[in-house]
Amino acid sequence: MMARRIAFVSEHASPVALLGGADAGGQNVYVDEVSRGLARLGYLVDVFTRRDSAGTPSIVAWAPGVRVVNLDAGPPAVLSKDALWPWMPAFRDALLRFAAGEGIRYDLLHGNFWMSGWVACEVGERTGAPVVQIFHATGVTKKREQGPADTSPDDRIGVERAVIHRAERLIAQCPAEERELVCDYDAMAHKIALIPSAVDTERYRPEDQREARHRIGVPQDGQVVVYVGRMLPRKDVRNVVRALGRLNQALPREEMPMLLAVGGDSPHPDPIATPEIGELARLADELGVRDLVRFVGRRQPDELRWYYSAGDVAVTTPWYEPFGLTPLEAMACARPVVGSDVGGISYTVVDGETGFLVPPREPAALADRLRLVLGDSEGRARLGEAARHRVLDHFTWPVVAERTAALYESLLGERASPIRGRSAGLLSAPAGNTREESVA
Ligand code: UDP
C-alpha cells in the first residue's frame, strides 16, 4: 500500500523553532515528536507552519518522512500568535496551493491549536480529507483563568466550537481536557480520544547530581529547587518565590534551598527580553530571598537533563496547565515534582507517589510540601524512582505515535465504508481583528 500522507497543521508552533532562541513551548515539542514518530511508522508527514522570516526556506527536510513547509501568510516576521487569526484564510489558500503544486492529496489533516483547526477543517471541506484536532489549550479555560489578560481574538471560542463540531476526531491530552471539551463545548464524547503527551526518556534521563551541578556551575552544598519552563504570569513562578519567602521565615538560612529558574526568551536572563524575570527578581528582593534565586535563561532541550538532575525537587505551580511537559521531563530525570493540582499535572503527578499536588496560588501549601520533600532524602529518592517508572510505563512518544496512528486508521477505515455523512461547512472566516501581545 502507498504510504499515507498526513498534513500536520500548526500555524505558530514549528519544530524548527526548537533549535533557536524563540519562545517555543509544548506544542512545538508535540509537533516535532509526533510527526517523527508517525514517519517512523511509515506515514509521510508535512508540517505546515507560517513563514516568520524572509530567509526561511519554503521546505525544510526535517527528518526522514517529515518536511516542514513554511507557508506565506501575513508578514514574514515573528508575530504574536494572537495576531495571526486574520491571516488564516491566506494560510489555508497557501496550503491548498502547495498541495496542488506538488500533486498531493492528503489522506488526513491533523490540526493543532484552534486556528490550525479552522484551516484543517476548511481544507478538509474542500478536499474530502478527514480532520483530527488537538487544541493544546482551550479558549474557555484561558478566558476563565486569565480574565482581562486574555488577548485571544474574540472569535476564538466560537471557532473552537465549530471545529469541535466539524472535526471527525478530537484528541484530549488528559481527563481534564476531555471534561473541558464535553462540558464547556458540548463535544460528543465518542469523538474524543485520550492520548496524553509524553517525554523522550533518552534525552531526559537521571544524571549524577554532583556531576550535574559541576557542569552547570551550581554549588554542591545546599539543596536546589528547580523550575523549568516559559516565564509567563500564568506559570506563576511568583508563587514559588513567595513559597521561598515563607520557608525563609521558618528555616535557618543555612538550611534554605536555592531556586534555579530555567527559561525565558533569551539564553541569558534578561528582564528586557523577558519582563517576568524582572518581576520575579523584584519580588524576591522584597521577600529577602533574592540571593537564593538564580535565573538561568533559556536552555536547549538537550541540556535540560543537567538542570533537572542538579535539583533535589522540581516545581511547577501554574494557575492552569492544558498538559504540561516539564513535570514529565523532571520525572523522567527521577526528580519528584511538586505541582499545581490542575489540568494535565493532576494526571501526570501522583500525589504522594511521584511528588505532591498543591492548590495553585497558595504559597503556604507549596512551602509546606517543599519542606516535607527537602527534609527526607530517602523519601525523595523513592518519589523520584517512582516518577521515572511512571513515565516509562505511561508517557513515551513511540506510544503516542502508535495511538495516534491507530486513531487515524480507525477513522480512515470507517470512511472507506460507503455509508457515511459529512457535516456541512459551519465555519466562518476571520474578520480582520488583531490584538496586543499574548500572555500565554
Ligand atoms: N523548554 C526548553 N528550554 C527552556 C525552558 C523550557 O526547551 O529553557 C521546553 C521544556 O523542556 C518543555 C517546553 O519548553 O518541553 C514547555 O512545555 P510545557 O508543556 O511544559 O509548557 P508550555 O510552554 O507549552 O506552556
Side-chain angles (χ1 to χ4, degrees):
M1 198 174 74
M2 290 251 294
R4 295 210 198 265
R5 286 197 170 269
I6 308 297
F8 234 77
V9 193
S10 177
E11 83 292 320
H12 73 277
S14 163
V16 181
L18 292 168
L19 299 176
D23 187 16
Q27 187 175 329
N28 306 68
V29 176
Y30 174 90
V31 172
D32 177 40
E33 292 283 358
V34 179
S35 62
R36 286 189 293 114
L38 288 166
R40 276 193 288 271
L41 295 175
Y43 294 86
L44 293 173
V45 186
D46 284 339
V47 176
F48 291 98
T49 191
R50 200 188 70 88
R51 180 195 298 283
D52 65 2
S53 103
T56 316
S58 295
I59 302 179
V60 179
W62 181 242
V66 184
R67 303 188 294 181
V68 174
V69 183
N70 291 292
L71 298 176
D72 287 308
V78 176
L79 298 179
S80 145
K81 63 177 180 282
D82 289 339
L84 297 179
W85 177 228
W87 303 108
M88 288 302 109
F91 189 90
R92 168 200 62 201
D93 294 346
L95 199 165
L96 287 165
R97 266 197 313 275
F98 175 86
E102 295 259 314
I104 296 173
R105 193 198 156 281
Y106 290 101
D107 294 288
L108 185 145
L109 297 128
H110 185 138
N112 290 266
F113 203 53
W114 66 277
M115 288 178 276
S116 287
W118 179 83
V119 171
C121 289
E122 286 275 307
V123 174
E125 204 70 46
R126 286 163 171 71
T127 62
V131 172
V132 170
Q133 169 69 12
I134 178 167
F135 282 100
H136 297 280
T138 58
V140 168
T141 302
K142 185 167 183 186
K143 201 183 207 77
R144 186 165 55 224
E145 298 293 336
Q146 299 206 347
D150 176 12
T151 55
S152 304
D154 294 337
D155 290 347
R156 176 170 179 174
I157 293 170
V159 171
E160 286 173 337
R161 278 187 196 289
V163 170
I164 284 166
H165 187 85
R166 164 65 184 75
E168 275 78 2
R169 292 286 191 281
L170 306 166
I171 295 176
Q173 293 188 288
C174 59
E177 189 182 3
E178 199 169 14
R179 280 193 299 275
E180 282 167 31
L181 293 173
V182 172
C183 301
D184 296 342
Y185 291 91
D186 302 321
M188 285 184 285
H190 73 266
K191 281 210 289 200
I192 306 175
L194 179 66
I195 307 183
S197 279
V199 64
D200 178 342
T201 50
E202 293 289 310
R203 173 178 271 172
Y204 295 96
R205 58 177 191 264
E207 295 286 357
D208 176 68
Q209 190 177 63
R210 290 191 72 80
E211 191 189 339
R213 288 192 182 183
H214 175 72
R215 234 174 219 261
I216 65 171
V218 163
Q220 295 293 348
D221 44 339
Q223 294 186 303
V224 174
V225 175
V226 59
Y227 167 81
V228 177
R230 291 188 294 157
M231 295 288 176
L232 300 173
R234 84 140 160 111
K235 296 285 183 182
D236 209 4
V237 189
R238 294 180 208 180
N239 189 55
V240 184
V241 173
R242 290 197 182 99
L244 204 61
R246 282 180 177 261
L247 284 178
N248 194 39
Q249 287 169 350
L251 294 175
R253 195 66 177 183
E254 61 278 9
E255 286 179 29
M256 278 297 289
M258 73 178 269
L259 170 63
L260 188 63
V262 185
D265 290 349
S266 60
H268 298 290
D270 173 4
I272 294 172
T274 315
E276 186 62 15
I277 289 182
E279 290 298 324
L280 292 167
R282 258 191 302 284
L283 180 64
D285 215 11
E286 216 175 88
L287 298 174
V289 292
R290 180 65 191 89
D291 58 319
L292 297 173
V293 182
R294 175 166 321 169
F295 296 103
V296 172
R298 185 173 175 78
R299 287 293 172 272
Q300 291 304 300
D302 273 337
E303 306 167 76
L304 287 176
R305 70 177 184 282
W306 299 107
Y307 290 85
Y308 287 117
S309 297
D312 295 286
V313 58
V315 70
T316 178
T317 58
W319 305 332
Y320 69 97
E321 191 59 81
F323 184 72
L325 291 177
T326 56
L328 281 185
E329 293 166 359
M331 288 164 69
C333 295
R335 293 297 176 270
V337 175
V338 183
S340 293
D341 191 3
V342 298
I345 304 175
S346 308
Y347 180 54
T348 48
V349 172
V350 183
D351 189 45
E353 277 179 37
T354 68
F356 291 103
L357 292 169
V358 291
R361 307 180 205 250
E362 281 194 27
L366 174 60
D368 191 52
R369 286 312 189 203
L370 285 177
R371 207 170 160 182
L372 184 72
V373 178
L374 292 171
D376 174 7
S377 65
E378 273 173 28
R380 205 161 61 233
R382 254 198 321 276
L383 294 171
E385 277 308 303
R388 168 107 183 141
H389 279 115
R390 179 161 170 75
V391 168
L392 291 171
D393 288 348
H394 299 289
F395 301 102
T396 60
W397 288 115
V399 171
V400 176
E402 273 161 30
R403 298 184 62 189
T404 307
L407 178 68
Y408 290 176
E409 292 308 317
S410 84
L411 176 54
L412 291 166
E414 223 172 76
R415 285 173 66 94
S417 90
I419 321 159
R420 136 157 238 296
R422 285 188 65 79
S423 7
L426 287 159
L427 302 165
S428 54
N433 77 3
T434 50
R435 291 287 191 92
E436 291 301 287
E437 200 50 41
S438 164
V439 289

